[in-house]
Amino acid sequence: MPELVNPIQWATPVFILMIVAEMLYGWRTGRVRYEARDTLTSLLMGVGSQVAGLMQKGVVLGLGYWVWTNWRVLDIGWQWWAFVIAFIAEDLAYYCVHRAGHRIRWFWAAHVIHHSSQHYNLSTALRQTWTGFIALNFAFRLPLFVIGFHPLMIAFVGALNLIYQFWIHTEAIVRLPAWFEAVFNTPSHHRVHHAVNPRYLDSNYAGTLIVWDRLFGTFVREDPAEPCRYGIVKQLGTFNPLKVAFHEWIGILRDVAKARSWREAWGHVWKPPGWRPGGGMTSDELKRRWQARKEVAGGDHAPEQASSVAAE
Amino acid sequence: MMLWTFFLPSLLAVAFLGWLALRLYGPNRENILSEEAARVAFQQDFFDDGVDAVLLDAPRRHALLLLDDQEAAGLVLVFGDKLVTRRLGKDLLNTIEIDGKRWHLGLDDLVLPSVTLIFDENTTGSAVADELRGRLEEIAAPG
Ligand SMILES: [Zn+2]
Ligand SMILES: [Zn+2]
């Protein structure tokens, strides 16, 4: 078994330098915006996420070893091509956990953190969850250990996948060559993923390979005529990292406590975010209403498009 | 050990980047709201609602919106260099306390639990303010 480094540890100084470069670029050109408190919150969420990761690492790896030792079907070694296949397989698992993270409130409670900034810059990439372990996100990787990929190999390629996703959180890059946009997740594709415009909701769940979205019907192309508005449907009114980290979990607890039946309680946990007994405002409902309104208006775009910047 | 190898350098980097963002992009405390910006922001998020009138508070950091739906009102506020919107219906607006020119709204919302608007005298005496006040009191009333 080769000695594998933790790629995120090595990448962190590069992340910091790239953020500095993007800040300076945005300051000079006006094409990227930062806001100090928003940036601080994103970065603190990133540090917290790393701390949470260190605390849970032993348990997750231990479980992975246990599954791999007792249940694996194949004996996959440490050849170079095994890393390539592991990367692709882990990327598919990421697509699945990410899609669940948007479609099931339980997983959304952990993932919402990453989407909770109205800004889209490299610091947003570091706004990561503290509670992925509570949500049991690691369960989506268990099939990889059953196939026979070593847990350390999956941890390694998973870290590479996360590193890949850092640079795509930018408005500085408009579009890349067509062949690249066809295969890989890019700033353009991921801007759409972070957008709250109804036409962009619930799309582009890819980690590294956008082909999963094309394959499973969740791909939406960025439309230059409709600039992305970032964040979540109900934008946060706080920069408090603790509230950012836990607000949706507390929301679930409160809703479950108020539920009038087991069925209702289950709905609050397992149905899409925004669900309420009798309907609510899920992303599907929002999109349905937006589509209906668009048809009445007879146009392709929302009736009003304006900058989200507050100042006149 | 962990403190020195990971936590402290990370926090120093966070502090440096926060400071740099502040230097380059400013504190954003000067942002103000216009009636038009409030209306557009609200209707982007709540496109099914018609907006009849907009009431800006004196510092122009908050706006209340009179909607064509009698059972709700709109709220828009400046948040950093962005805006946050809420549709104040019975499920969201818990309380309203009015103390002269000061309106304090209590919301059932963990990430925006309360909002205080301070109006000038001309605004609080207007017909739109009267109507909004009545509507908000009705929404917040128990039952
Ligand atoms: Zn996401
Ligand atoms: Zn992202």
Side-chain angles (χ1 to χ4, degrees), chain A residues 197-302:
Chain A
N197 314 43
R199 65 153 48 194
Y200 292 148
L201 285 174
D202 289 343
S203 60
N204 300 2
Y205 299 115
T208 298
L209 299 168
I210 198 69
V211 290
W212 306 123
D213 285 284
R214 296 184 189 276
L215 212 59
F216 299 125
T218 49
F219 176 70
V220 174
R221 192 179 301 281
E222 187 180 30
D223 179 353
E226 181 153 348
C228 296
R229 292 182 287 114
Y230 305 107
I232 49 181
V233 170
K234 191 177 161 194
Q235 305 285 11
L236 299 191
T238 178
F239 292 113
N240 180 335
L242 289 174
K243 286 191 178 180
V244 174
F246 298 109
H247 70 97
E248 191 67 25
W249 289 110
I250 295 169
I252 290 180
L253 284 176
R254 281 165 57 168
D255 288 339
V256 167
K258 279 191 273 183
R260 289 163 299 184
S261 66
W262 285 104
R263 199 188 173 86
E264 228 177 80
W266 180 248
H268 285 302
V269 175
W270 210 250
K271 291 218 182 253
W275 178 86
R276 285 273 169 275
M281 190 57 80
T282 60
S283 55
D284 289 337
E285 177 62 12
L286 201 62
K287 283 205 268 198
R288 192 189 63 73
R289 290 187 187 196
W290 176 77
Q291 189 68 31
R293 188 173 162 77
K294 198 176 80 174
E295 276 157 22
V296 170
D300 193 36
H301 298 290

Side-chain angles (χ1 to χ4, degrees), chain A residues 113-161:
Chain A
I113 287 104
H114 180 59
H115 286 271
S116 61
S117 170
Q118 290 197 55
H119 283 267
Y120 188 80
N121 54 44
L122 290 177
S123 77
T124 314
L126 304 182
R127 187 181 277 236
Q128 292 288 338
T129 186
W130 296 3
T131 56
F133 180 70
I134 297 172
L136 307 177
N137 282 351
F138 58 86
F140 286 81
R141 278 181 170 177
L142 296 181
L144 304 177
F145 308 138
V146 175
I147 292 170
F149 293 107
H150 193 282
L152 280 181
M153 184 185 278
I154 292 300
F156 181 75
V157 295
L160 292 185
N161 198 341

Side-chain angles (χ1 to χ4, degrees), chain A:
Chain A
M1 194 176 83
E3 186 113 347
L4 296 174
V5 294
N6 177 2
I8 293 192
Q9 217 166 327
W10 290 95
T12 303
V14 182
F15 289 169
I16 295 168
L17 286 176
M18 283 175 72
I19 291 175
V20 171
E22 195 196 34
M23 276 186 189
L24 291 168
Y25 172 80
W27 174 64
R28 297 261 331 211
T29 64
R31 289 181 58 192
V32 175
R33 263 206 76 78
Y34 276 81
E35 206 275 344
R37 284 166 296 171
D38 173 86
T39 304
L40 266 181
T41 306
S42 291
L43 298 174
L44 286 174
M45 298 315 293
V47 174
S49 170
Q50 286 295 304
V51 172
L54 285 174
M55 282 160 57
Q56 71 211 21
K57 195 174 161 189
V59 180
V60 173
L61 268 181
L63 183 68
Y65 270 119
W66 183 79
V67 172
W68 181 78
T69 309
N70 293 293
W71 300 91
R72 74 175 183 270
V73 178
L74 301 171
D75 269 315
I76 299 171
W78 294 89
Q79 300 85 344
W80 67 267
W81 51 263
F83 279 87
V84 176
I85 298 171
F87 186 90
I88 295 169
E90 200 278 336
D91 196 46
L92 175 59
Y94 179 86
Y95 172 88
C96 296
V97 71
H98 194 189
R99 189 165 172 174
H102 283 263
R103 300 295 301 164
I104 300 171
R105 193 182 180 195
W106 174 263
F107 297 109
W108 173 245
H111 185 57
V112 60
I113 287 104
H114 180 59
H115 286 271
S116 61
S117 170
Q118 290 197 55
H119 283 267
Y120 188 80
N121 54 44
L122 290 177
S123 77
T124 314
L126 304 182
R127 187 181 277 236
Q128 292 288 338
T129 186
W130 296 3
T131 56
F133 180 70
I134 297 172
L136 307 177
N137 282 351
F138 58 86
F140 286 81
R141 278 181 170 177
L142 296 181
L144 304 177
F145 308 138
V146 175
I147 292 170
F149 293 107
H150 193 282
L152 280 181
M153 184 185 278
I154 292 300
F156 181 75
V157 295
L160 292 185
N161 198 341
L162 269 186
I163 290 169
Y164 177 86
Q165 291 174 50
F166 173 75
W167 72 276
I168 61 179
H169 291 84
T170 185
E171 293 191 287
I173 297 168
V174 179
R175 223 171 279 277
L176 291 161
W179 68 268
F180 197 87
E181 296 275 349
V183 179
F184 292 100
N185 198 6
T186 62
S188 174
H189 300 329
H190 203 58
R191 283 194 289 273
V192 166
H193 177 67
H194 274 256
V196 290
N197 314 43
R199 65 153 48 194
Y200 292 148
L201 285 174
D202 289 343
S203 60
N204 300 2
Y205 299 115
T208 298
L209 299 168
I210 198 69
V211 290
W212 306 123
D213 285 284
R214 296 184 189 276
L215 212 59
F216 299 125
T218 49
F219 176 70
V220 174
R221 192 179 301 281
E222 187 180 30
D223 179 353
E226 181 153 348
C228 296
R229 292 182 287 114
Y230 305 107
I232 49 181
V233 170
K234 191 177 161 194
Q235 305 285 11
L236 299 191
T238 178
F239 292 113
N240 180 335
L242 289 174
K243 286 191 178 180
V244 174
F246 298 109
H247 70 97
E248 191 67 25
W249 289 110
I250 295 169
I252 290 180
L253 284 176
R254 281 165 57 168
D255 288 339
V256 167
K258 279 191 273 183
R260 289 163 299 184
S261 66
W262 285 104
R263 199 188 173 86
E264 228 177 80
W266 180 248
H268 285 302
V269 175
W270 210 250
K271 291 218 182 253
W275 178 86
R276 285 273 169 275
M281 190 57 80
T282 60
S283 55
D284 289 337
E285 177 62 12
L286 201 62
K287 283 205 268 198
R288 192 189 63 73
R289 290 187 187 196
W290 176 77
Q291 189 68 31
R293 188 173 162 77
K294 198 176 80 174
E295 276 157 22
V296 170
D300 193 36
H301 298 290
E304 299 194 72
Q305 277 295 323
S307 158
S308 58
V309 177
E312 284 176 291

